[in-house]
Amino acid sequence: MPRQSPVPETVDREFFAAANRGRLVVQYCGRCDRWQYPPTTRCPVCDGAESFLWREVEGRGTVYSFAVVHDTQIASLRADLPYTVVVVSLDECPGVLMLSHLPGAADVAIGQAVRPRFAVTEATGQRVPEWEPLS
Amino acid sequence: MTAPQVRESAAGLFRVDDGLGVWPHRGRVAAVGIGHSPTARRWDGAAETSIGAWTILAVRRAVADAGVDPAAVDVLVLDRHTTGGGSPWPEGAEIPREVAERFRPTDDPLDGVARLSPQWLLANLPELSGVKLVVVTTMCMSMALTAAIETVGRGHGTTAIAVKAWHNFPGRYGVRGANADPTVSGPAKHGVRGAGIAGANSFMNAMEFRRYLFKYGKSREMMAPFVVNSRANGLLMPEGYWAQHDPRPLTAADYLGSRMIADPSSLLDNDLPVHAAAAYLVTTAERAVDLRQPPAYVLGHAGSGVARGDRYDGLPYRSVVETLEESEAWAAATARRVYESAAVRADDLAFENCYDGFSFLHPFWLEAFGYAGVRHGEALDFYQGDIGLKGPHPVSPSGGNIGGGRTRFWGHTDSIQQIQQRAGARQIGRPATIGLSGGFMPYWSNFVIWSRDPDGP
Ligand SMILES: [Zn+2]
């Protein structure tokens, strides 16, 4: 489904570069043993930068919750109403949630297992991670 | 008149940390005067309805309502912002000349139109000649009012005006600027706070509420009595949007048939952006007894957020969006601090005016405060009973933002009026001895405990 193209910035360039290669990376602080998303420049807990690194993950997750959007202020999403926005809890990264789009009023449930795939966004061709139900 | 001292941060005035104990100024500060502008859906472009004009009107009404000499006001607390971001001034649009000519300007041509500086407000309220201190707050009336209460409690002034205004310009709220772009930058591209890629302002609250329904085995339909009650109460608030422009009660069928925005959140779960201003006059308990209205004493206040130095923010989410578990924990911690500050318990409350914009936030707060003995997961069952004004446990007698429009101040107005016994048709059936009002969200809030008796229960 159509959506806005994210413009990579310093803080998340690695994230979007990995997505263009079909990979999911998440920041991890070795000192705190803590995963971080959204991207930040330093670990928000210990303020460290040296041990705060991008790590590749497989990206399987679980549906934390979701809502079916019937009206949106985002012009590029208006073409495809309704759509479902899922909050995905990443199995390998405790505490990390990512948002994903599914077309229509998707047949999805809280607790359902999901896996990542990479979708191309229209404006710039930037790929982004999205998740789809496993079964 | 010498220029007042302007403090650009109110961070040090908020009680957002644990273990602060009973508020040291318990029962020694009171709200007395209330002033409201009319409430419009959108600004019509006239000088006399500009947000600056309506703020002046609200302040004057609050001062007159209290019966205070305007020159006695020595503290002004305000938020410079008059929109949460959804209604920016249209780029390149000209300010109507009539508006520019009506008021004493500052260097900022949008002052009094799309925002509000203390310099503009004081220049256009010359009768407030005694203001020595201005405190600039942020977000909501809950913050401005709390800052005014704490300022008076600490003795930094004796008579404070807390003011909050919301403009709303023509055009669809939020459908402007970055939302129209084919690309997205900044935190919105990760969906931080449910903004940006989620595509609906109510997304985060909607998905949290869906998680709530799942966790406790409830259904969305169970919100209907709350929304119906809120509109009914809001229609009895003469200043509210629906009371002034479309005084029709809602039915459960209206709620259940309302179009979805971010399912499970429908149009009627979202509060309506409006154009309005309100002001409260807060003073010492000693001065309050001699004024035109009875005092609504403050027993305590506390909230949630991060206040470090001059920095004042909401609590950070663990990840991109707030989870139900975070909301519940933060709201519960807030309630503990509020009760501790006032030295009251849940069963001392005669009424509550907890934040409700979006509607689904109300059950989170209600449960956290344990109003009427309601525990986690029980709010929706509680709504099925008697929650009306004349019942044993009145819920949101103000009607809140759902019943009056998005101002985030109806609950404070109602609480003060309930305690003063001048809530008119909204006056609750049981004695309005002690009440609660505040908001907004669990991650960032301030609540006040009001009392008819300065010594509390
Ligand atoms: Zn760390």
Side-chain angles (χ1 to χ4, degrees), chain B residues 111-412:
Chain B
D111 222 343
V113 174
R115 47 190 170 259
L116 210 52
S117 74
Q119 292 77 16
W120 189 95
L121 195 55
L122 288 173
N124 288 286
L125 279 164
E127 70 269 36
L128 298 193
S129 55
V131 173
K132 295 179 183 65
L133 173 64
V134 172
V135 179
V136 176
T137 59
T138 187
M139 290 311 300
C140 308
M141 179 59 99
S142 292
M143 284 63 176
L145 177 59
T146 303
I149 288 168
E150 184 67 27
T151 300
V152 171
R154 290 185 191 180
H156 297 166
T158 62
T159 309
I161 287 283
V163 62
K164 175 66 197 177
W166 297 95
H167 75 251
N168 195 26
F169 299 134
R172 202 182 151 198
Y173 193 83
V175 186
R176 273 161 272 211
N179 288 345
D181 292 343
T183 60
V184 56
S185 299
K189 68 187 149 182
H190 299 283
V192 172
R193 296 173 61 175
I197 62 172
N201 287 342
S202 55
F203 169 76
M204 189 169 79
N205 189 241
M207 77 81 193
E208 266 187 85
F209 187 66
R210 184 185 294 279
R211 182 83 187 182
Y212 174 97
L213 297 176
F214 171 80
K215 180 175 178 181
Y216 297 112
K218 305 299 175 190
S219 71
R220 176 185 178 273
E221 289 67 34
M222 296 173 79
M223 281 299 290
F226 171 78
V227 174
V228 169
N229 179 65
S230 295
R231 176 67 67 87
N233 294 351
L235 292 182
L236 302 176
M237 170 75 80
E239 296 85 358
Y241 173 79
W242 304 103
Q244 293 192 348
H245 301 282
D246 190 7
R248 283 177 304 129
L250 281 180
T251 64
D254 293 331
Y255 176 68
L256 299 176
S258 170
R259 79 180 168 91
M260 284 293 175
I261 306 295
D263 187 349
S265 178
S266 77
L267 191 65
L268 292 177
D269 292 306
N270 290 252
D271 50 353
L272 187 77
V274 295
H275 185 83
Y280 303 117
L281 188 133
V282 174
T283 188
T284 61
E286 296 79 48
R287 287 179 184 237
V289 289
D290 295 328
L291 299 181
R292 185 170 294 154
Q293 306 294 344
Y297 293 102
V298 177
L299 294 185
H301 70 85
S304 56
V306 180
R308 298 282 178 272
D310 281 349
R311 194 178 140 240
Y312 178 53
D313 281 315
L315 292 164
Y317 310 150
R318 171 65 182 85
S319 190
V320 284
V321 287
E322 181 182 62
T323 62
L324 175 63
E325 293 73 20
E326 285 174 322
S327 273
E328 289 187 331
W330 292 337
T334 304
R336 281 194 300 272
R337 286 191 286 269
V338 173
Y339 285 140
E340 180 183 46
S341 77
V344 302
R345 302 179 315 177
D347 56 12
D348 293 320
L349 297 181
F351 63 92
E352 64 78 34
N353 274 300
C354 289
Y355 186 75
D356 68 339
F358 311 103
S359 67
F360 302 149
L361 286 161
H362 190 270
F364 296 176
W365 283 123
L366 193 86
E367 293 175 3
F369 278 98
Y371 179 68
V374 173
R375 290 171 298 188
H376 281 295
E378 296 180 350
L380 272 56
D381 296 304
F382 174 70
Y383 294 153
Q384 312 309 306
D386 183 359
I387 58 172
L389 295 168
K390 304 305 175 190
H393 300 295
V395 162
S396 196
S398 69
N401 301 292
I402 293 297
R406 180 183 302 163
T407 65
R408 303 177 179 166
F409 49 58
W410 307 121
H412 298 302

Side-chain angles (χ1 to χ4, degrees), chain A residues 24-110:
Chain A
L24 184 68
V25 295
V26 182
Q27 287 171 308
Y28 175 77
C29 178
R31 198 186 300 173
C32 300
D33 183 25
R34 182 184 180 278
W35 297 89
Q36 170 62 30
Y37 183 79
T40 53
T41 50
R42 311 170 80 84
C43 170
V45 175
C46 70
D47 205 35
E50 316 79 52
S51 59
F52 191 57
L53 302 166
W54 291 96
R55 272 199 188 179
E56 186 174 329
V57 296
E58 192 193 345
R60 290 203 176 201
T62 306
V63 174
Y64 174 78
S65 191
F66 64 96
V68 182
V69 179
H70 291 260
D71 193 354
T72 178
Q73 303 167 341
I74 310 286
S76 57
L77 288 166
R78 290 190 75 83
D80 213 20
L81 292 168
Y83 59 88
T84 302
V85 181
V86 178
V87 179
V88 175
S89 167
L90 291 194
D91 295 345
E92 303 150 274
C93 312
V96 166
L97 302 171
M98 295 194 184
L99 302 192
S100 180
H101 302 74
L102 290 169
D107 184 15
V108 65
I110 290 173

